[in-house]
Amino acid sequence: MRRLGLDAEYANPEKSSATNPDHLAATVYGRVRRGIACDFDVSAQHATLSPQSGSNSTGQTPVGGQVPTPSSSEPAPAGWFSALDLELLHHFTTSTCFTFSSEPMTRNFWRVNVPRIGFSHQYVLEGILSLAALHLARIKPQRRDALLEQAIIHHNASSSLAVPILNNINSGDSIPLFFFSIITTYIAFASHRESDSLLVVADGVMPEWLFLFRGMRGVIDVTSDAYNSVLSLGVIFDSGRQMNDIWETNPPAEHEGLKELEGLIGYYVKDAEKLRELSHAIDLLRRSFTIFYGNNYTDDQRLRSAFMWLFKLSNSFVSLLKDRDNEALCVLAFFCVLLQRLDYNWWIEGCGVHLVARIYSVLDDGYRLWIRWPIEEIGWVP
């Protein structure tokens, strides 16, 4: 099966500003504009289908290429949705949209407002259909191959439309691009189960969702004024602001596992700047652990606290991860515990185990002892 999405070639944060739209496009979708070709097919007529698909029926989407329909082998007229596309949109508005939050207003926003944005911005609509296909593939295993194929087709179509716009963001595109970024991050999380279509950086260790999530922060930074001008977005951003207030004001509780890791790093790392970056990442992670292990927080708040860690990491620490720095990977292994505790989200399920296994595979025996606590907490057996 073709890989779902793009190879992530994360732009060097020291050479390009996070507020530069060109850098933003490279950060979110792994492509700098120096002649690097994307691996998706921009042409709808030349979309390559997976050889694993058991369906021979086809229909034409507005941009998505040849797709199997549930009941007919006749292609739909040009510019029309196929029956399968309509099924995926129906599934998103009746099922998938309710899996992102337990808050009623947030659920309604995903059910009503986000599809409406998609009707005006095709890259959002294609992303919705891709995500719905991934979700439905879990519910309908007998149709799994065909649905995963559709996820690839719609995701590639979505990216081919959105990436050029990221190079020149304006206020009219900011909100659609924000939701495109969220949807693409969900797709990256959900696709990790497919070993032959896994979104990873070329070194085979770091998941692309980490870089996608970091890039989404850049989208917000560049066009924050546009978000503040749309009152309906309050249901999305107000919860995040409340979580940030909790994050900043509540003192982090001590954590024995993180304390031990911090002691090892303090003893063995002699570079002062690197030690500062690692200690800062651990301090941020300690705040997430405080919320996860606290009794007065909702599931949505725990989810946001995990993503808050990804948002607040420094560019220097992310560069250490990209360079496969052993100590930075050990810190990331502790984050896998939080991912494992979020397994009740279908799109995150298995990410914690999958990532800690990849980290373990590149560490030597000495550093593997550093991550015994997260391995045992997750319950993974090397």
Side-chain angles (χ1 to χ4, degrees), residues 140-256:
K140 303 284 188 180
Q142 69 276 17
R143 299 171 56 193
R144 178 178 176 275
D145 287 346
L147 289 167
L148 291 180
E149 185 176 286
Q150 291 311 295
I152 293 172
I153 292 171
H154 286 297
H155 173 65
N156 288 347
S158 176
S159 297
S160 68
L161 292 167
V163 169
I165 301 173
L166 282 166
N167 293 324
N168 187 26
I169 301 177
N170 58 53
S171 59
D173 295 318
S174 57
I175 292 172
L177 284 174
F178 170 72
F179 285 101
F180 166 76
S181 301
I182 295 179
I183 291 169
T184 304
T185 303
Y186 285 159
I187 291 170
F189 269 107
S191 67
H192 81 276
R193 302 176 192 85
E194 311 307 322
S195 59
D196 54 356
S197 62
L198 180 66
L199 295 172
V200 293
V201 181
D203 63 13
V205 180
M206 296 309 303
E208 191 174 5
W209 49 256
L210 189 150
F211 302 114
L212 289 169
F213 212 87
R214 296 281 299 173
M216 187 168 63
R217 183 181 71 170
V219 175
I220 296 174
D221 290 343
V222 170
T223 57
S224 58
D225 291 342
Y227 303 124
N228 294 330
S229 67
V230 181
L231 295 178
S232 60
L233 285 178
V235 298
I236 300 293
F237 286 98
D238 286 349
S239 298
R241 294 188 186 101
Q242 292 172 10
M243 188 69 255
N244 186 69
D245 291 342
I246 294 173
W247 175 283
E248 296 290 351
T249 57
N250 288 6
E254 192 57 74
H255 186 278
E256 287 301 317

Side-chain angles (χ1 to χ4, degrees), residues 292-329:
F292 263 77
Y293 285 86
N295 297 322
N296 300 321
Y297 302 103
T298 66
D299 288 342
D300 280 16
Q301 288 176 320
R302 292 186 174 92
L303 176 64
R304 291 191 183 97
S305 73
F307 289 162
M308 194 77 70
W309 185 72
L310 297 176
F311 263 84
K312 290 181 177 290
L313 288 175
S314 68
N315 287 335
S316 297
F317 181 81
V318 175
S319 294
L320 290 174
L321 290 176
K322 182 179 181 293
D323 294 337
R324 296 171 63 165
D325 178 84
N326 288 320
E327 290 84 7
L329 288 174

Side-chain angles (χ1 to χ4, degrees), residues 13-244:
E14 302 301 325
K15 296 182 180 180
S16 182
S17 169
T19 60
N20 185 311
D22 289 344
H23 170 68
L24 185 60
T27 303
V28 183
Y29 306 104
R31 281 290 175 266
V32 289
R33 294 166 49 193
R34 293 194 293 268
I36 300 176
C38 294
D39 65 358
F40 51 77
D41 191 345
V42 177
S43 171
Q45 283 71 27
H46 295 86
T48 302
L49 301 187
S50 166
Q52 296 178 357
S53 173
S55 173
N56 294 323
S57 58
T58 61
Q60 186 170 344
T61 67
V63 304
Q66 300 300 315
V67 298
T69 61
S71 59
S72 173
S73 60
E74 293 298 323
W80 285 38
F81 282 102
S82 70
L84 179 55
D85 293 332
L86 296 176
E87 180 189 9
L88 293 176
L89 183 58
H90 176 267
H91 181 74
F92 182 88
T93 58
T94 60
S95 181
T96 307
C97 66
F98 299 119
T99 65
F100 305 138
S101 175
S102 61
E103 298 170 354
M105 291 297 292
T106 301
R107 286 181 163 188
N108 283 335
F109 193 94
W110 278 99
R111 181 176 63 88
V112 178
N113 296 61
V114 175
R116 185 179 297 161
I117 293 171
F119 297 148
S120 301
H121 298 83
Q122 201 160 353
Y123 53 85
V124 175
L125 184 59
E126 294 283 2
I128 286 172
L129 297 179
S130 177
L131 190 55
L134 287 172
H135 188 216
L136 191 59
R138 291 174 55 80
I139 300 172
K140 303 284 188 180
Q142 69 276 17
R143 299 171 56 193
R144 178 178 176 275
D145 287 346
L147 289 167
L148 291 180
E149 185 176 286
Q150 291 311 295
I152 293 172
I153 292 171
H154 286 297
H155 173 65
N156 288 347
S158 176
S159 297
S160 68
L161 292 167
V163 169
I165 301 173
L166 282 166
N167 293 324
N168 187 26
I169 301 177
N170 58 53
S171 59
D173 295 318
S174 57
I175 292 172
L177 284 174
F178 170 72
F179 285 101
F180 166 76
S181 301
I182 295 179
I183 291 169
T184 304
T185 303
Y186 285 159
I187 291 170
F189 269 107
S191 67
H192 81 276
R193 302 176 192 85
E194 311 307 322
S195 59
D196 54 356
S197 62
L198 180 66
L199 295 172
V200 293
V201 181
D203 63 13
V205 180
M206 296 309 303
E208 191 174 5
W209 49 256
L210 189 150
F211 302 114
L212 289 169
F213 212 87
R214 296 281 299 173
M216 187 168 63
R217 183 181 71 170
V219 175
I220 296 174
D221 290 343
V222 170
T223 57
S224 58
D225 291 342
Y227 303 124
N228 294 330
S229 67
V230 181
L231 295 178
S232 60
L233 285 178
V235 298
I236 300 293
F237 286 98
D238 286 349
S239 298
R241 294 188 186 101
Q242 292 172 10
M243 188 69 255
N244 186 69

